[in-house]
Amino acid sequence: MSQAALPASPIRVSSPPTSTPAAPAAPAAPASEGAARGKGKQSQFRLIAACSLGNALEMYDFTVYSFFALLIGKLFFPSDSAYGSLLLAVATFGIGFVMRPLGGVIIGNYADRKGRKAAMTLTIGLMVLGTLCIAFAPTYASAGVFGSLMIVAGRLLQGFSLGGEVGAATAMLMESGGVKGRGFRVSWQLASQGVSALLGALTGAALYAALPQASLESWGWRLPFLLGLLIAPVGLYIRSHLQETHTADSHESSPVGRLLRAHGGTVLKGILATTAGTATMYLVVFFMPTYMIRVLHMPPSLSLLSGCVTGITLFVVSLVAGRLADRLPQRKPLVIGSLLFSVIAVYPVFWLIGHYPSVPLVLALSALLTASVNIGTTPMFLMLLEMLPAGVRASGISVIYSVGVTVFGGSSQFVVTWLLAKTGNPMAPAFYMMVCGVLSLGALLSLRERKAA
């Protein structure tokens, strides 16, 4: 966040007019400028930490559900078949995505009218309410359909919250400083999702390894959601000390209306451009543990290691991609190259996993797919941010991300699970990801890159 140098304090002198009062004051100017620069760096560091930590904790609550989908399906959505319970569980996971576009429109609009800080504080509170519903929901055996409805209500609240969180946090990261370094700042939004995946997977792996099945089913599965409630004191405290980066004229028309009228084409292309990264995130990072258990018949404690590996990969690759985005004169070739490689690689990756199933191979190839897509995701997000003016930036990214994730991410686990159940073909995730990759390539080729000042 840039800050002007502090003005030098006026000096009163009683010497004759022939003396020069500015001379003794000269050394004070550099000191004031240094203090201002130090304060600016400290403010920027605090803002990056606030956006990243808050987003990571919210994503943790939102995604830890996927790591316990098998248990939740059994406890809250009983069915005659194992795939039936899993389908209902992942459908409930996906139903949270239905609220994302609504949250993206309402909270994104709020962020463009009232400021990023106000919107980010609101999303923390909504996520806490949603997590409380899930953590304390009674099982189907004890309360019948009421417990199932509580799970659904919790997912809807979480989805609404996260729909607005991404746009406000990403816009604030971009606006917190000058053009130089904005790619690295924006990369923390995606890197924080890697942290959330790692934390969720570590928690799940530890619980599966430490607790017997009976304890996991009775109370152990609730622990990750209770831990996620830490977002309340941590997130609210850090975000309350942020400095606002955007103030709009309250008399202006709705930011969402202006966005769709003036930038509707960019929004549509942006939605399609995000499909490959979305599919990779929700199938390779969050669905792979379920795939390893259900299709490859691996132990739950070992399968959750895939979430750890892909989480670390996403964290590191996102930050590297941010640095590359700042150094490269054009970002689009990097994004296209990463998408082409991932589309070509996804089929042989799943073929190898299916024919030579082993934990080390699955971990290595999952990391490869995660890295190949996400090396271009941060530059792509930066391209979209720079194509949208500040007055509609939070709304634009919120709509692009939430709609893209809802259509191609929230439905991905349900569609792939349904395909696995109907066809028995373990290559179903590969086919889905290849289609998403082709859609992203087509949309990206039609976007014209331009750098904003």
Side-chain angles (χ1 to χ4, degrees), residues 278-279 282-283 406-417 432:
T278 295
Y282 288 96
L283 290 179
T406 297
V407 176
F408 299 98
S411 63
S412 62
Q413 296 194 26
F414 182 86
V415 171
V416 168
T417 301
Y432 186 91

Side-chain angles (χ1 to χ4, degrees), residues 49-301:
C51 293
S52 303
L53 179 60
N55 192 52
L57 289 171
E58 290 201 60
M59 283 296 294
Y60 165 85
D61 278 334
F62 196 79
T63 55
V64 77
Y65 181 99
S66 66
F67 292 122
F68 289 88
L70 287 171
L71 267 181
I72 292 174
K74 180 180 179 180
L75 295 173
F76 291 91
F77 308 100
S79 175
D80 294 334
S81 68
Y83 267 119
S85 292
L86 180 57
L87 272 173
L88 289 171
V90 297
T92 305
F93 176 80
I95 203 171
F97 289 82
V98 174
M99 294 295 287
R100 280 201 181 191
L102 183 61
V105 169
I106 295 177
I107 300 178
N109 193 76
Y110 182 70
D112 281 330
R113 290 181 66 89
K114 301 296 183 182
R116 318 314 191 198
K117 177 179 175 179
M120 290 165 61
T121 303
L122 174 63
T123 59
I124 287 282
L126 292 173
M127 182 62 73
V128 169
L129 290 177
T131 305
L132 279 170
C133 289
I134 296 175
F136 293 101
T139 63
Y140 186 89
S142 61
V145 72
F146 177 74
S148 305
L149 291 175
M150 279 193 67
I151 295 290
V152 172
R155 294 295 300 153
L156 291 174
L157 280 170
Q158 286 184 330
F160 184 85
S161 169
L162 199 52
E165 163 72 19
V166 173
T170 308
M172 198 170 207
L173 285 168
M174 176 192 174
E175 296 162 354
S176 63
V179 174
K180 184 179 180 180
R182 64 170 46 161
F184 182 69
R185 294 195 304 272
V186 169
S187 71
W188 281 96
Q189 195 279 331
L190 295 166
S192 65
Q193 296 185 23
V195 174
S196 69
L198 175 61
L199 291 177
L202 285 175
T203 303
L207 289 174
Y208 273 111
L211 296 178
Q213 186 69 18
S215 298
L216 275 174
E217 293 184 7
S218 62
W219 56 269
W221 70 272
R222 300 181 188 271
L223 290 180
F225 298 99
L226 293 173
L227 291 173
L229 289 173
L230 292 174
I231 61 173
V234 175
L236 287 173
Y237 174 79
I238 295 178
R239 292 185 173 188
S240 66
H241 291 77
L242 291 177
Q243 297 181 21
E244 183 57 65
T245 61
H246 171 71
T247 303
D249 184 355
S250 60
H251 298 290
E252 290 184 357
S253 60
S254 168
V256 172
R258 285 186 283 128
L259 170 74
L260 297 179
R261 287 192 300 270
H263 307 280
T266 300
V267 170
L268 178 59
K269 294 175 184 177
I271 290 170
L272 295 175
T274 62
T275 57
T278 295
T280 301
M281 171 70 72
Y282 288 96
L283 290 179
V284 177
V285 179
F286 300 125
F287 185 71
M288 187 59 76
T290 301
Y291 183 85
M292 292 172 71
I293 297 169
R294 182 62 61 194
V295 178
L296 304 180
H297 309 292
M298 295 180 178
S301 57

Side-chain angles (χ1 to χ4, degrees), residues 29-40:
S32 300
E33 292 170 2
R37 285 193 297 268
K39 184 178 179 182

